[in-house]
Amino acid sequence: MATKTRKLEEFISLSADTPRVVSYVDYFARKPLFHSLKIKNDADMAVEGLTLTVTNENGLLAACVKEIEELPFESTVEVEPLYALSPAYFTTLENSREEKIVIELKKDKKTVAMQEVTVLALPFDCWEGLYGNAELIASFVRPKLADPTRLTSDVAAQLKKWEVSGELGY
């Protein structure tokens, strides 16, 4: 059995592409943790019963365990997006910090493939700058309460004047 596991380790590999920087805005905008996460099987047989775990020892990630039912022979499978960032981590972070993420693929509780990636974690109120999407800055914008309330009452008055139903929610 040990020989079979060792051979399996030679044929299975992980390939993870992560953003350089992660922040609360990534959690808020539901951006996946990986741009792509692929598992490659070069063996001439399919492999079943794999478990993928993604961990970080400092709390950057919520528990992330994914069962891989079958990995076809001589193929590459892309794992569905993982939304594993922990919002609590970013609220307690005061300064930017390098974080190591460990990706492990196990069969029968034995590691068959592993990859480590490093990301820069930003505090709650920071933006990614050149490494992020400019549109994500809008995640930090909150309208003043008086302005939307005034706009809603103006729209409701106009609908009443036109004798139109307020079914649109005004």
Side-chain angles (χ1 to χ4, degrees):
M1 188 72 162
T3 308
K4 186 177 181 182
T5 304
R6 191 169 350 110
K7 286 184 179 179
L8 190 60
E9 292 171 3
E10 295 172 7
F11 295 111
I12 294 185
S13 61
L14 286 169
S15 171
D17 180 22
T18 60
R20 294 181 187 174
V21 179
V22 293
S23 67
Y24 178 80
V25 76
D26 295 318
Y27 165 78
F28 187 80
R30 294 205 28 90
K31 285 179 56 182
L33 179 59
F34 300 101
H35 296 301
S36 80
L37 177 57
K38 297 178 182 177
I39 304 170
K40 185 176 184 179
N41 180 7
D42 287 329
D44 58 359
M45 61 181 196
V47 180
E48 296 177 348
L50 296 170
T51 303
L52 179 73
T53 58
V54 182
T55 57
N56 169 265
E57 60 188 29
N58 297 321
L60 173 67
L61 306 175
C64 187
V65 177
K66 189 169 189 71
E67 299 295 327
I68 310 294
E69 292 179 20
E70 183 180 16
L71 187 57
F73 66 93
E74 297 178 352
S75 64
T76 301
V77 173
E78 187 160 6
V79 178
E80 292 178 8
L82 300 171
Y83 303 99
L85 292 174
S86 170
Y89 173 84
F90 295 109
T91 59
T92 59
L93 192 62
E94 293 182 14
N95 295 313
S96 300
R97 182 173 167 175
E98 292 280 326
E99 289 289 352
K100 182 172 67 172
I101 297 172
V102 179
I103 309 152
E104 277 187 290
L105 189 63
K106 296 180 181 183
K107 178 167 176 62
D108 301 327
K109 298 186 180 184
K110 293 184 181 180
T111 302
V112 293
M114 184 176 86
Q115 183 176 356
E116 293 181 359
V117 293
T118 304
V119 295
L120 179 66
L122 298 179
F124 177 77
D125 58 351
C126 289
W127 177 62
E128 300 161 351
L130 296 175
Y131 298 117
N133 294 332
E135 293 84 5
L136 292 178
I137 292 178
S139 297
F140 293 108
V141 176
R142 301 289 184 255
K144 292 182 179 177
L145 185 57
D147 293 338
T149 304
R150 185 176 59 240
L151 180 62
T152 302
S153 62
D154 290 349
V155 169
Q158 188 64 39
L159 288 173
K160 189 174 184 179
K161 180 178 174 183
W162 290 341
E163 298 177 358
V164 176
S165 172
E167 291 178 350
L168 299 175
Y170 297 106

